Amino acid sequence: MTSFADARKALQRGETDCETLVSSFLARIRERNPSLNAFISVDEADALAQARRLDRSPDVDLPLKGLALAVKDVICMKGRRVTCSSRMLEQFESLYDATAIERLRAAGAIFVGKTNCDEFAMGSSNETSYFGPVRNPANAEYVPGGSSGGSAAAVAAGLCHAALGTDTGGSIRQPAAHCGVAGLKPTYGRVSRNGLVAFASSFDCMGPIGQSVEDCALLLNHMAGRDERDSTSASARVPDYAQALTGDVRGVRIGLPKEYFADGLDDGIRSMIEECVRGLEREGAIVREVSLPRTEYGVAAYYILTTAEASSNLARYDGIRYGHRAAPGELRGALRSEQAAVSGANGESAGERLDAESMLREFYTASRTEGFGDEVKRRIMLGAYVLSSGYYEAYYAKGQQARTLIRNDFDAVFEEVDALVTPATPAPPFRLGSRVDDPMAMYLGDVYTVPANLAGVPGLVVPLGLHPAPPRLPIGMQILGPHFGEETILRIGDMAERLQR
Ligand code: GLN
């Protein structure tokens, strides 16, 4: 499989053109997508038109010219559906391009389609999508990971050069690990969230998934940076991330947090990481054990805080302002009752008004019941509960305190080391269907990825090859860095890739 960096060289030498590249990806999508279910929508004619436009202007040497890019279907592209893999938004068309899309388009990227994911990015296996599960390209009986499973599977199966994912608690890194590709969750605020449908706004990050660390760096170059349309976007300088891949890790201080290598970690994964770390040490990295003592509170704090934010963010989908509407008959009834409720202010009896309100409530309930799947409903209920008066202090406020402590852990450890190397997941990919009825087991699988989102620090996953035990599925390793430490973790990840070549 060629990386974009290699395709770019071929393009520059005139050995191929954008149309040829895109046509071959479209052919592969036609062939493999029916079984993988990685894409929700592909607009072939539009992708080819974008490619031809770029081919017709050969003197414009755009940095990402010819990059065939897939986009997770929670990111807005003007005039395209953005479903969030939910029945709620099945027919919803986006009115504008996300900032990252605008920037990547201007840099020469070609958008081939929108990828499947867990519904509203809630999940770790890509089984909560209204459009059905995505399958792992390495073995169709296994999950590709989630929630950006379609994006990771599309890259792993060679259906595009790279893909955009989003990561609220691991959704770029975990599917990258399960599919055997590279994936970067940038520092919170490094990439604008404008045009990304919100799940948990203080956690959500958009980032690249690619065949190589270099491809992730090239994409980040054109995604990062301050955006007036996202007040939480950072104005920190955007370096050339590809320049950071020097192949030199001499003197880089790497910490192995002992809490990430404790009981519960699969032995095969542990030994693959240890082997890679020994390689980095041979290249001159300085490795030592460190501690992040509050790691054990990560999953609990994450599921309290993100469900709280989700319950608020998803309140807008009520069938009237946005989203799926319950059957037209009920809608007419509800609208009539809304009018009645308004006119009720002018003399209607209290009883009639109550009746009108309850009909409207029924309509909201019907629209939301039909529009959302089980996992989304579970999170809305959990979030409403932890925010409710009486429980707020016990859950939400405590969760915020735990978040601060976890962030302090990272701040302290990055005084001692430049980066952390950890597993991405406690276990290899699991069988489709094996955890769908056990949300706790699913949530606990996020133990190594959620702390980075709680703290806002960047995390990169690099593939390490295949697990030693059958069915020999892909395994990834996570590299975490301090805020805006993307260059360091990309350099280490690139080195880890070189060691495997
Ligand atoms: N698996 C986590 C969850 O279900 C992370 C999801 C994400 O990063 N979008 O919340």
Side-chain angles (χ1 to χ4, degrees), residues 264-427:
L265 173 61
D266 172 89
D267 286 335
I269 297 181
R270 183 195 305 275
S271 56
M272 289 171 79
I273 293 174
E274 284 168 355
E275 192 190 324
C276 181
V277 168
R278 278 195 295 276
L280 292 169
E281 228 172 348
R282 276 197 299 274
E283 294 296 326
I286 301 160
V287 180
R288 55 177 287 201
E289 187 181 271
V290 294
S291 173
L292 294 160
R294 278 71 163 244
T295 302
E296 61 175 309
Y297 306 120
V299 171
Y302 171 84
Y303 278 95
I304 287 171
L305 298 175
T306 56
T307 54
E309 292 190 27
S311 75
S312 164
N313 274 327
L314 272 59
R316 72 191 68 166
Y317 307 108
D318 59 11
I320 290 183
R321 287 171 294 181
Y322 278 103
H324 171 80
R325 288 189 169 173
E330 287 170 58
L331 174 67
R332 275 196 300 278
L335 288 178
R336 256 203 315 278
S337 50
E338 188 175 36
Q339 277 159 9
V342 171
S343 61
N346 321 315
E348 207 173 3
S349 78
E352 279 169 319
R353 191 154 70 240
L354 213 61
D355 190 43
E357 279 175 18
S358 72
M359 281 177 72
L360 189 58
R361 191 161 298 134
E362 251 170 57
F363 167 73
Y364 287 147
T365 308
S367 298
R368 286 167 69 82
T369 306
E370 291 174 10
F372 290 134
D374 288 348
E375 183 59 28
V376 174
K377 285 178 198 152
R378 175 158 38 237
R379 299 209 189 190
I380 291 172
M381 286 190 284
L382 192 58
Y385 179 80
V386 301
L387 286 174
S388 58
S389 72
Y391 294 103
Y392 179 90
E393 292 296 331
Y395 295 107
Y396 185 77
K398 266 273 179 320
Q400 290 288 28
Q401 286 165 350
R403 185 176 197 178
T404 302
L405 293 175
I406 287 167
R407 189 188 156 129
N408 292 348
D409 270 3
F410 280 102
D411 287 347
V413 87
F414 287 127
E415 297 281 318
E416 298 170 41
V417 293
D418 303 310
L420 301 167
V421 163
T422 81
T425 61

Side-chain angles (χ1 to χ4, degrees), residues 121-124 147 167-171 199 302-303 379 446:
M122 298 174 188
S124 314
S147 67
D167 194 309
T168 303
S171 282
F199 160 11
Y302 171 84
Y303 278 95
R379 299 209 189 190
D446 297 339

